[in-house]
Amino acid sequence: MVKWSFAAKNGVRLVIREPRKGDAPALLRFINDLAVEPMSGILIDGKLTLKDEEAYLKGLLADVRRRAAVVLLAEHGGRIVGNCSISRLRWKMRHRAVMAIALSNGYREVGIGTELARRVMALAVERFEGIEAIELSYLAYNRRAKSFYVKLGFRPEGVIRDSVKEGKRFYDER
């Protein structure tokens, strides 16, 4: 299991590590905080249950074991405050993978996301034989995500118009 200490730009010390079996309650708190945050940029549109999160974690850990996903968590004081994953696509698309990242409010723009993304990309290249492309998307209103991904070296490839509906409004996915 990969695990190390990291100091953010604001001096906060975190542990960056892979997920483990008992993480469901902490992951649930993390995702439910994001789910109710207005315009968080995540696709979940309501709070999840512990049963939902346990099922998600079980599948995620199975994907990690079979080398179909790489996942890193950022933990501060026993609380999960960040999550970054890369999931490999299957069959004729196995040369591609999809990255997703989320950080709790108060832990953004201090280098944690950059550390998570760079480490998870390095692990994906190491663990996924034949990976040639890592893809991602963000919602058009999320300017912070756009500048973050450009900083990491990603470039835009297209737009899916009205991909996501939040409340009564539609948003493009880029």
Side-chain angles (χ1 to χ4, degrees), residues 57-81:
L57 181 59
K58 182 179 180 181
L60 184 67
L61 293 174
D63 286 348
V64 170
R65 278 192 303 279
R66 67 180 177 86
R67 301 271 193 219
V70 174
V71 183
L72 292 175
L73 305 175
E75 186 177 55
H76 179 235
R79 180 177 169 222
I80 294 173
V81 298

Short mmCIF file of all heavy atoms in Angstrom, two decimals, residues 57-81:
data_model
loop_
_atom_site.label_atom_id
_atom_site.label_comp_id
_atom_site.label_asym_id
_atom_site.label_seq_id
_atom_site.Cartn_x
_atom_site.Cartn_y
_atom_site.Cartn_z
N LEU A 57 -17.08 1.30 -2.35
CA LEU A 57 -15.72 1.01 -1.90
C LEU A 57 -15.33 -0.43 -2.22
O LEU A 57 -14.21 -0.69 -2.66
CB LEU A 57 -15.57 1.29 -0.40
CG LEU A 57 -14.19 1.05 0.19
CD1 LEU A 57 -13.13 1.91 -0.50
CD2 LEU A 57 -14.21 1.33 1.70
N LYS A 58 -16.24 -1.35 -2.03
CA LYS A 58 -15.97 -2.76 -2.34
C LYS A 58 -15.59 -2.91 -3.82
O LYS A 58 -14.61 -3.57 -4.16
CB LYS A 58 -17.18 -3.63 -2.00
CG LYS A 58 -16.96 -5.10 -2.24
CD LYS A 58 -18.19 -5.92 -1.86
CE LYS A 58 -17.95 -7.40 -2.10
NZ LYS A 58 -19.12 -8.19 -1.76
N GLY A 59 -16.36 -2.29 -4.70
CA GLY A 59 -16.07 -2.34 -6.13
C GLY A 59 -14.77 -1.64 -6.48
O GLY A 59 -13.99 -2.12 -7.32
N LEU A 60 -14.53 -0.51 -5.83
CA LEU A 60 -13.31 0.26 -6.08
C LEU A 60 -12.07 -0.54 -5.69
O LEU A 60 -11.10 -0.61 -6.44
CB LEU A 60 -13.36 1.57 -5.29
CG LEU A 60 -12.22 2.54 -5.51
CD1 LEU A 60 -12.24 3.08 -6.93
CD2 LEU A 60 -12.32 3.69 -4.52
N LEU A 61 -12.10 -1.17 -4.51
CA LEU A 61 -10.97 -1.97 -4.06
C LEU A 61 -10.74 -3.18 -4.98
O LEU A 61 -9.59 -3.56 -5.23
CB LEU A 61 -11.15 -2.40 -2.61
CG LEU A 61 -11.11 -1.26 -1.59
CD1 LEU A 61 -11.44 -1.77 -0.20
CD2 LEU A 61 -9.77 -0.53 -1.61
N ALA A 62 -11.83 -3.75 -5.49
CA ALA A 62 -11.70 -4.85 -6.46
C ALA A 62 -11.03 -4.35 -7.73
O ALA A 62 -10.15 -5.03 -8.29
CB ALA A 62 -13.06 -5.46 -6.76
N ASP A 63 -11.40 -3.16 -8.20
CA ASP A 63 -10.77 -2.57 -9.39
C ASP A 63 -9.29 -2.30 -9.16
O ASP A 63 -8.47 -2.51 -10.04
CB ASP A 63 -11.48 -1.27 -9.79
CG ASP A 63 -12.84 -1.49 -10.43
OD1 ASP A 63 -13.16 -2.65 -10.77
OD2 ASP A 63 -13.57 -0.50 -10.56
N VAL A 64 -8.94 -1.83 -7.97
CA VAL A 64 -7.53 -1.59 -7.64
C VAL A 64 -6.75 -2.90 -7.68
O VAL A 64 -5.67 -2.99 -8.26
CB VAL A 64 -7.38 -0.89 -6.27
CG1 VAL A 64 -5.92 -0.87 -5.82
CG2 VAL A 64 -7.95 0.53 -6.34
N ARG A 65 -7.31 -3.96 -7.07
CA ARG A 65 -6.64 -5.26 -7.04
C ARG A 65 -6.40 -5.83 -8.43
O ARG A 65 -5.37 -6.42 -8.70
CB ARG A 65 -7.44 -6.26 -6.21
CG ARG A 65 -7.21 -6.15 -4.72
CD ARG A 65 -7.79 -7.33 -3.95
NE ARG A 65 -9.22 -7.51 -4.16
CZ ARG A 65 -10.18 -6.82 -3.55
NH1 ARG A 65 -9.87 -5.90 -2.65
NH2 ARG A 65 -11.46 -7.05 -3.81
N ARG A 66 -7.38 -5.63 -9.32
CA ARG A 66 -7.23 -6.20 -10.67
C ARG A 66 -6.57 -5.22 -11.64
O ARG A 66 -6.57 -5.43 -12.86
CB ARG A 66 -8.57 -6.72 -11.19
CG ARG A 66 -9.63 -5.72 -11.46
CD ARG A 66 -10.91 -6.40 -11.98
NE ARG A 66 -11.95 -5.44 -12.18
CZ ARG A 66 -12.13 -4.73 -13.29
NH1 ARG A 66 -11.35 -4.90 -14.31
NH2 ARG A 66 -13.11 -3.85 -13.36
N ARG A 67 -5.99 -4.17 -11.10
CA ARG A 67 -5.24 -3.19 -11.89
C ARG A 67 -6.11 -2.47 -12.92
O ARG A 67 -5.67 -2.18 -14.03
CB ARG A 67 -4.04 -3.82 -12.58
CG ARG A 67 -3.05 -4.47 -11.64
CD ARG A 67 -2.02 -3.47 -11.21
NE ARG A 67 -0.90 -4.13 -10.55
CZ ARG A 67 -0.29 -3.63 -9.49
NH1 ARG A 67 -0.69 -2.49 -9.00
NH2 ARG A 67 0.73 -4.25 -8.94
N ALA A 68 -7.34 -2.19 -12.54
CA ALA A 68 -8.25 -1.43 -13.40
C ALA A 68 -8.44 -0.01 -12.87
O ALA A 68 -9.04 0.82 -13.55
CB ALA A 68 -9.60 -2.13 -13.49
N ALA A 69 -7.94 0.27 -11.66
CA ALA A 69 -8.05 1.61 -11.08
C ALA A 69 -6.86 1.87 -10.16
O ALA A 69 -6.30 0.95 -9.58
CB ALA A 69 -9.35 1.76 -10.29
N VAL A 70 -6.52 3.14 -10.06
CA VAL A 70 -5.56 3.63 -9.09
C VAL A 70 -6.27 4.73 -8.33
O VAL A 70 -6.89 5.61 -8.94
CB VAL A 70 -4.28 4.19 -9.77
CG1 VAL A 70 -3.36 4.82 -8.76
CG2 VAL A 70 -3.58 3.11 -10.57
N VAL A 71 -6.21 4.69 -7.01
CA VAL A 71 -6.92 5.67 -6.19
C VAL A 71 -6.02 6.13 -5.05
O VAL A 71 -5.38 5.30 -4.40
CB VAL A 71 -8.21 5.06 -5.57
CG1 VAL A 71 -8.97 6.11 -4.79
CG2 VAL A 71 -9.08 4.44 -6.63
N LEU A 72 -6.00 7.43 -4.83
CA LEU A 72 -5.30 7.99 -3.68
C LEU A 72 -6.25 8.91 -2.93
O LEU A 72 -7.05 9.62 -3.53
CB LEU A 72 -4.06 8.77 -4.12
CG LEU A 72 -2.92 7.95 -4.71
CD1 LEU A 72 -1.81 8.85 -5.21
CD2 LEU A 72 -2.38 6.95 -3.69
N LEU A 73 -6.13 8.86 -1.61
CA LEU A 73 -6.92 9.72 -0.73
C LEU A 73 -6.00 10.68 0.00
O LEU A 73 -4.86 10.33 0.31
CB LEU A 73 -7.65 8.87 0.31
CG LEU A 73 -8.53 7.74 -0.21
CD1 LEU A 73 -9.08 6.93 0.96
CD2 LEU A 73 -9.65 8.28 -1.07
N ALA A 74 -6.50 11.87 0.28
CA ALA A 74 -5.79 12.83 1.14
C ALA A 74 -6.53 12.83 2.47
O ALA A 74 -7.76 13.01 2.51
CB ALA A 74 -5.78 14.22 0.52
N GLU A 75 -5.79 12.64 3.56
CA GLU A 75 -6.39 12.53 4.88
C GLU A 75 -5.74 13.56 5.80
O GLU A 75 -4.52 13.68 5.85
CB GLU A 75 -6.15 11.10 5.39
CG GLU A 75 -6.80 10.78 6.68
CD GLU A 75 -6.56 9.31 7.05
OE1 GLU A 75 -5.38 8.89 7.10
OE2 GLU A 75 -7.54 8.60 7.28
N HIS A 76 -6.56 14.28 6.52
CA HIS A 76 -6.08 15.28 7.48
C HIS A 76 -6.78 15.05 8.81
O HIS A 76 -8.02 15.13 8.89
CB HIS A 76 -6.36 16.70 6.97
CG HIS A 76 -5.92 17.76 7.90
ND1 HIS A 76 -6.76 18.73 8.38
CD2 HIS A 76 -4.70 18.01 8.47
CE1 HIS A 76 -6.09 19.53 9.18
NE2 HIS A 76 -4.85 19.12 9.26
N GLY A 77 -6.01 14.73 9.82
CA GLY A 77 -6.59 14.50 11.14
C GLY A 77 -7.60 13.36 11.16
O GLY A 77 -8.60 13.45 11.87
N GLY A 78 -7.37 12.33 10.36
CA GLY A 78 -8.29 11.20 10.31
C GLY A 78 -9.51 11.41 9.42
O GLY A 78 -10.33 10.52 9.27
N ARG A 79 -9.61 12.57 8.80
CA ARG A 79 -10.74 12.91 7.93
C ARG A 79 -10.28 12.92 6.48
O ARG A 79 -9.27 13.53 6.15
CB ARG A 79 -11.26 14.30 8.31
CG ARG A 79 -12.42 14.76 7.50
CD ARG A 79 -12.92 16.12 8.01
NE ARG A 79 -13.85 16.65 7.04
CZ ARG A 79 -13.89 17.92 6.66
NH1 ARG A 79 -13.06 18.80 7.19
NH2 ARG A 79 -14.76 18.31 5.77
N ILE A 80 -11.00 12.26 5.60
CA ILE A 80 -10.66 12.28 4.18
C ILE A 80 -11.11 13.61 3.59
O ILE A 80 -12.27 14.01 3.72
CB ILE A 80 -11.31 11.09 3.44
CG1 ILE A 80 -10.69 9.79 3.95
CG2 ILE A 80 -11.12 11.23 1.92
CD1 ILE A 80 -11.33 8.54 3.46
N VAL A 81 -10.16 14.31 2.97
CA VAL A 81 -10.43 15.63 2.41
C VAL A 81 -10.15 15.71 0.92
O VAL A 81 -10.34 16.76 0.31
CB VAL A 81 -9.62 16.72 3.17
CG1 VAL A 81 -10.03 16.77 4.64
CG2 VAL A 81 -8.12 16.51 3.03
#
